[in-house]
Amino acid sequence: MHAVFGSKAGSSYVCQRADGSPIRVQSCGREGELLNAARVAAATTNRLLVPLPRRDRERFLAVCETVELEPDQVLMQAGGRVTHAWFPVDAIVSLGIAAPQERKLLEVALVGWEGMVGLPMLLLDGAASGLRATVVRAGAALRIAAEPLQSQLRESPPLAQLLQRYLLVAIEQMAQAALCTRYHRVDQRLVRWLLMTQDRTKAGAALHATHEFLAATLGVRRAGVTRAAAQPQDQRLIAYRRGVLTLLDPAGLQAVACACYAADLRSYAALMELAPPA
Ligand SMILES: [Zn+2]
């Protein structure tokens, strides 16, 4: 698998980090505007942490370490014990379920700065994961081990409430992914994946993604990817040359994506955009 994202700007906010340097944060679209400028201004880290009361956020960040994730790095093995939770900052992680007989790994979720990896740790200390977590975009993430996470969850009801809400979001998104794989065309699923990826990068409308990588991600043959990419290329919604995919018209892509993309945004907004936890 190989996916490296470029720096060409799409529709994006430009905000400042605490040190004054600019950051770009990708708009999440019309249907469910996940971000708003005020929150984005504070979003120098993982988005789940943004609504936390300042004291809770600072206490949490004090026990996290910042790690650089490499492409293809495996954070969780299916059947393996989950040792840490990760909160991506600008990395992207694919969660996949193995089909041993077919020797395939089907992606069931994509996690970027809007989410966390290691959900079993919210419920059971020392739990095993049924999913494999693989880094598909290099970048930074916050990492926390089991014991300090459990301690933070006890000490910070707002953190516990936020992560419980995110757990529900993740369950709904995985159910949506199952529906999408079963009922929707490959070209619609490809467009949905492109939009989801762009939302999770916080920057950039161009990405390197080989046919092989996209075929594995979507669970189809390489020829299926070629066919699926043809129509959005003809409509000038994307350009795909030498393994570089560029999103030319994100709004146009939303119009041709299957309904699952908007459904995911709605479920995230409905569960995460409630009043900030007390
Ligand atoms: Zn779909």
Side-chain angles (χ1 to χ4, degrees):
M1 285 187 186
H2 185 58
V4 181
F5 294 78
S7 59
K8 182 176 178 180
S11 58
S12 60
Y13 300 103
V14 179
C15 303
Q16 286 191 330
R17 299 180 195 277
D19 64 3
S21 61
I23 58 171
R24 287 183 183 278
V25 179
Q26 197 63 41
S27 165
C28 291
R30 303 172 310 228
E31 184 75 41
E33 192 71 36
L34 298 186
L35 312 175
N36 63 55
R39 286 189 178 175
V40 167
T44 57
T45 177
N46 179 281
R47 188 180 182 281
L48 290 176
L49 309 180
V50 174
L52 285 177
R54 185 174 176 176
R55 196 177 68 175
D56 294 55
R57 182 168 59 247
E58 288 177 352
R59 190 170 53 200
F60 182 78
L61 291 173
V63 293
C64 286
E65 56 181 329
T66 302
V67 293
E68 287 293 324
L69 303 180
E70 301 294 330
D72 297 333
Q73 185 177 345
V74 177
L75 305 182
M76 297 191 311
Q77 286 281 8
R81 187 170 175 272
V82 184
T83 58
H84 294 83
W86 289 265
F87 296 78
V89 175
D90 55 4
I92 300 183
V93 179
S94 170
L95 298 182
I97 187 161
Q101 286 186 318
E102 293 79 7
R103 297 187 178 183
K104 303 277 189 190
L105 188 76
L106 180 67
E107 182 176 285
V108 294
L110 202 58
V111 182
W113 86 299
E114 86 304 335
M116 72 167 273
V117 176
L119 288 171
M121 292 209 338
L122 295 179
L123 302 175
L124 293 170
D125 188 13
S129 170
L131 303 176
R132 178 181 165 110
T134 311
V135 178
V136 293
R137 186 210 186 214
L142 301 168
R143 188 176 79 162
I144 184 169
E147 192 175 318
L149 177 61
Q150 292 301 327
S151 170
Q152 292 289 315
L153 292 172
R154 284 192 299 272
E155 290 176 19
S156 174
L159 176 70
Q161 193 182 118
L162 266 175
L163 297 186
Q164 284 167 4
R165 289 181 192 174
Y166 178 68
L167 178 61
L168 289 177
V169 169
I171 291 170
E172 289 194 12
Q173 289 188 348
M174 287 185 204
Q176 194 76 46
L179 181 151
C180 193
T181 304
R182 172 65 181 83
Y183 291 113
H184 293 156
R185 299 194 314 264
V186 178
D187 59 322
Q188 294 176 310
R189 292 170 52 211
L190 172 65
V191 169
R192 175 187 178 227
W193 185 87
L194 293 172
L195 291 168
M196 287 171 62
T197 304
Q198 192 186 37
D199 288 347
R200 285 156 177 77
T201 63
K202 292 197 283 185
L207 60 114
H208 291 273
T210 63
H211 273 70
E212 198 172 23
F213 170 79
L214 292 171
T217 298
L218 298 171
V220 299
R221 296 177 188 278
R222 287 175 56 176
V225 173
T226 304
R227 282 194 296 274
Q231 192 162 354
Q233 285 182 95
D234 292 345
Q235 294 174 314
R236 298 195 56 75
L237 300 175
I238 63 169
Y240 193 16
R241 292 191 188 90
R242 298 178 184 173
V244 178
L245 261 164
T246 305
L247 278 63
L248 302 174
D249 182 358
L253 285 167
Q254 287 183 38
V256 300
C258 60
C260 301
Y261 175 69
D264 280 350
L265 292 181
R266 278 197 302 272
S267 71
Y268 193 102
L271 286 158
M272 305 306 294
E273 294 289 316
L274 302 171

